[in-house]
Amino acid sequence: MPNSERSRAAQRRAPDDFWGCFVIETKPIDGKAFAAGLRARIAEEVAGLKASAGLTPGLAVVLVGEDPASQVYVRNKAAQTAEAGMASFEYKLAADTPEADVLALVAKLNADPAVHGILVQLPLPAQIDANKVIAAIDPAKDVDGFHVVNAGRLAVGLDALVPCTPLGCIMLLKHHLGSLAGLKAVVVGRSNIVGKPAAQLLLKEDCTVTVAHSRTRDLPGECRTADILVAAVGRPEMVRGDWIKPGATVIDVGINRVPKDDGKTRLVGDVAYAEAQGIAGLITPVPGGVGPMTIACLLQNTLTAAKRQKGLA
Ligand code: NDP
């Protein structure tokens, strides 16, 4: 067999060939059920705040343009905000809205006492600088946690509004593993919205953290050292079964739409889920793992922001 083929075969070899005698029952992490429980707890606290302090947390969501995926996200966010008993304010702007108009709307929402959280749905059309818009949001209302003030506060270990998806990952990990202290975590991906904040949060939990990315040498080898493996790459099933340490907890953040034989599409994560069976100890499925946690954590951030603005937290 030529060397290149041998190396490809070695990369894809069956898990039990690779790890020999290990027999592991892989358990899925049910993010959907956990998120439903979290939303119920949030709704209960919101009802209490209304009764005791006359406070109704309010979330404003700004959508510019007609991106179909963004429209679905915004619709779901508005529905779940209302279900939690919070006030939901939706602003839908045309795709050609000038940047100045978006900045003016953000300034108006910053000054509105009924709005405790502001989310500008990304991506934004080309004429609008997303960094400028994020920088214009009051950090106290930045429920996406993307403002440099919140990123900086997280980095130095101060209270911050933390990006929703990594916050959801850490909640799932703590729920299933208890203390994360001393565990080796490898985060694949270093984006500002997932990879970097996930690494900061794991460090805050006293994990030993490695952040891997497209320039990492020996990515499979790095992944194999992880007790906790977080994949946030955006490449369908890139993380193979034999990249996973036996018994590791795998958090698959990726959401990738791939074609099926019948011409339709299906969602897969960044981890080869079928190959991970019998190797990983715990794994988040896609869909139904990390995804549902993102909106639940947005509600959590809105509640936290409202309480802080009222001096109640
Ligand atoms: P980005 O595209 O911003 O970042 C991807 C990261 O993956 C980059 O750091 C990149 O490295 C790294 N990467 C790309 N290719 C490779 C490779 N071959 N080997 C190693 N690293 C690689 O993506 P996001 O962080 O925004 O999202 C990641 C995934 O998570 C996507 O599938 C997205 O859909 C999903 N997602 C899911 C959410 C949810 O609610 N569940 C929310 C947000 C995102 P480099 O920096 O070197 O380019």
Side-chain angles (χ1 to χ4, degrees):
M1 191 193 289
N3 269 346
S4 59
E5 261 183 66
R6 192 173 296 123
S7 123
R8 261 199 304 279
Q11 281 227 333
R12 285 168 197 278
R13 71 195 135 185
D16 13 82
D17 291 346
F18 189 75
W19 294 110
C21 57
F22 292 98
V23 179
I24 289 170
E25 188 200 343
T26 302
K27 296 203 175 97
I29 294 178
D30 189 346
K32 203 171 163 193
F34 189 90
L38 178 58
R39 289 199 307 273
R41 292 195 292 281
I42 292 168
E44 214 171 286
E45 197 175 341
V46 168
L49 274 178
K50 280 185 190 171
S52 64
L55 172 61
T56 302
L59 172 66
V61 177
V62 179
L63 174 64
V64 188
E66 271 114 44
D67 177 61
S70 294
Q71 284 181 329
V72 173
Y73 291 141
V74 167
R75 219 176 16 250
N76 288 343
K77 283 169 188 171
Q80 294 190 24
T81 305
E83 268 170 36
M86 299 186 186
S88 166
F89 308 96
E90 249 185 276
Y91 296 85
K92 290 187 177 162
L93 309 180
D96 60 355
T97 303
E99 183 182 88
D101 291 11
V102 179
L103 293 172
L105 174 58
V106 168
K108 189 179 128 209
L109 298 172
N110 281 342
D112 186 340
V115 172
H116 304 95
I118 302 168
L119 181 151
V120 179
Q121 184 67 44
L122 301 178
L124 287 165
Q127 77 278 11
I128 301 169
D129 180 345
N131 287 329
K132 222 168 167 180
V133 173
I134 291 166
I137 297 171
D138 178 349
K141 297 189 176 187
D142 167 41
V143 283
D144 253 343
F146 295 165
H147 195 288
V148 288
V149 166
N150 281 312
R153 290 180 70 88
L154 174 63
V156 297
L158 294 173
D159 276 344
L161 288 167
V162 173
C164 304
T165 302
L167 180 60
C169 296
I170 298 299
M171 281 184 185
L172 290 176
L173 283 168
K174 286 172 76 172
H175 177 73
H176 285 86
L177 299 180
S179 168
L180 309 183
L183 296 179
K184 174 73 198 287
V186 174
V187 180
V188 190
R190 56 174 165 179
S191 72
N192 290 334
I193 65 170
V194 189
K196 280 185 200 145
Q200 295 286 0
L201 287 167
L202 289 161
L203 199 54
K204 204 168 161 208
E205 296 299 326
D206 296 322
C207 290
T208 302
V209 183
T210 296
V211 182
H213 45 78
S214 65
R215 301 297 195 87
T216 296
R217 288 185 193 161
D218 188 18
L219 185 60
E222 292 292 347
C223 291
R224 272 181 216 118
T225 67
D227 302 309
I228 295 171
L229 179 58
V230 179
V233 181
R235 294 189 184 270
E237 302 187 324
M238 186 188 83
V239 175
R240 313 308 308 186
D242 61 5
W243 297 20
I244 299 168
K245 178 174 162 179
T249 299
V250 179
I251 302 291
D252 190 353
V253 181
I255 300 179
N256 309 287
R257 200 164 273 288
V258 296
K260 288 197 298 183
D261 292 343
D262 61 4
K264 294 184 180 161
T265 59
R266 68 188 175 102
L267 288 183
V268 298
D270 289 343
V271 179
Y273 190 80
E275 289 183 17
Q277 301 305 308
I279 305 174
L282 291 162
I283 185 167
T284 54
V286 177
V290 173
M293 291 300 291
T294 298
I295 298 183
C297 287
L298 174 66
L299 303 181
Q300 176 71 68
N301 277 352
T302 305
L303 177 59
T304 303
K307 288 199 300 188
R308 286 188 188 149
Q309 284 161 51
K310 277 281 176 185
L312 299 171

